[in-house]
């Protein structure tokens, strides 16, 4: 499926499209958008999903819902079995209007994998419409998870935040990391609380 393609809703028979890809450690999917809402889920591995204002570390027990048109990028932490669904806007009622992390309960996980085996859900067959309806019900009922870290808008503070997230085990202190971001520690200490609410 061409990810950036615009689909004409009145003619497109599909309600749900799917994509299954395995990526290697440190693979990076560059910033992009989709005309359909996307459920980003990894059957195995951990992803870092980043939007303009937030970042999530996503294990296999969670998924990220991204509304249509929201720019995002994905970084792989170890080998990642990406299993993602794209939902036509006709299914969007009741789904979050902002990016959010959702708990993937066992039934939702199995349904995601079942839809992936089918490839796509067409609006014609009643069985497909029932599966799409069940998917929406499970997504609407999924418990929201507060897994995101707000990211600063200031490019210097953002560079520091992204470096720390990319290498959380690094032992360098903030005073040593600040110059590489292009600002003094004092400047960064003012920016972070103002733009993220975090120290």
């Amino acid at each position: 499926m061409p990810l950036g393609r615009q689909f004409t809703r009145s003619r497109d028979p599909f309600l749900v499209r799917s994509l299954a890809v395995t990526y290697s450690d440190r693979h990076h999917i560059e910033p992009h958008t989709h005309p359909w809402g996307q459920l980003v889920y990894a059957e195995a591995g951990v992803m870092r999903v980043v939007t303009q204002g937030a970042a999530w570390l996503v294990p296999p027990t969670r998924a990220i819902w991204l509304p249509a048109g929201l720019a995002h990028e994905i970084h792989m932490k170890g080998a990642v079995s990406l299993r993602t669904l794209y939902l036509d806007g006709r299914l969007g009622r009741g789904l979050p209007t902002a990016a959010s992390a959702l708990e993937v309960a066992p039934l939702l996980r199995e349904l995601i994998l079942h839809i992936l085996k089918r490839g796509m859900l067409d609006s014609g067959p009643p069985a497909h419409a029932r599966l799409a309806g069940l998917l929406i019900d499970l997504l609407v009922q999924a418990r929201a998870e507060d897994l995101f870290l707000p990211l600063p808008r200031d490019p210097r503070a953002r560079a520091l935040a992204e470096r720390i997230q990319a290498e959380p085990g690094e032992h360098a202190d903030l005073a040593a990391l600040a110059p590489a971001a292009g600002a003094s520690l004092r400047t960064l200490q003012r920016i972070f609380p103002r733009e993220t609410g975090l120290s």
Side-chain angles (χ1 to χ4, degrees), residues 184-196:
S184 69
L185 177 60
R186 197 167 184 82
T187 298
L188 294 171
Q189 287 173 328
R190 284 195 308 269
I191 293 170
F192 268 89
R194 184 178 70 230
E195 296 194 358
T196 69

Side-chain angles (χ1 to χ4, degrees), residues 135-159:
L135 174 64
I136 296 304
D137 286 347
L138 293 177
L139 291 176
V140 168
Q141 295 169 18
R143 188 175 62 176
E145 296 287 333
D146 188 11
L147 294 177
F148 82 98
L149 285 173
L151 292 176
R153 292 179 307 280
D154 183 283
R156 298 163 299 175
R158 177 115 180 193

Side-chain angles (χ1 to χ4, degrees), residues 14-66:
F14 298 110
L15 296 172
V16 179
R17 294 173 181 268
S18 66
L19 176 69
V21 182
T22 298
Y23 292 106
S24 59
D25 182 30
R26 297 184 181 269
H27 183 84
H28 176 214
I29 299 175
E30 297 287 338
H32 63 286
T33 63
H34 303 286
W36 290 26
Q38 181 182 11
L39 184 69
V40 181
Y41 173 67
E43 184 181 13
V46 175
M47 302 174 290
R48 181 171 169 261
V49 179
V50 181
T51 63
Q52 178 64 31
W56 295 263
L57 282 177
V58 190
T61 56
R62 304 291 182 266
I64 302 297
W65 167 251
L66 299 169

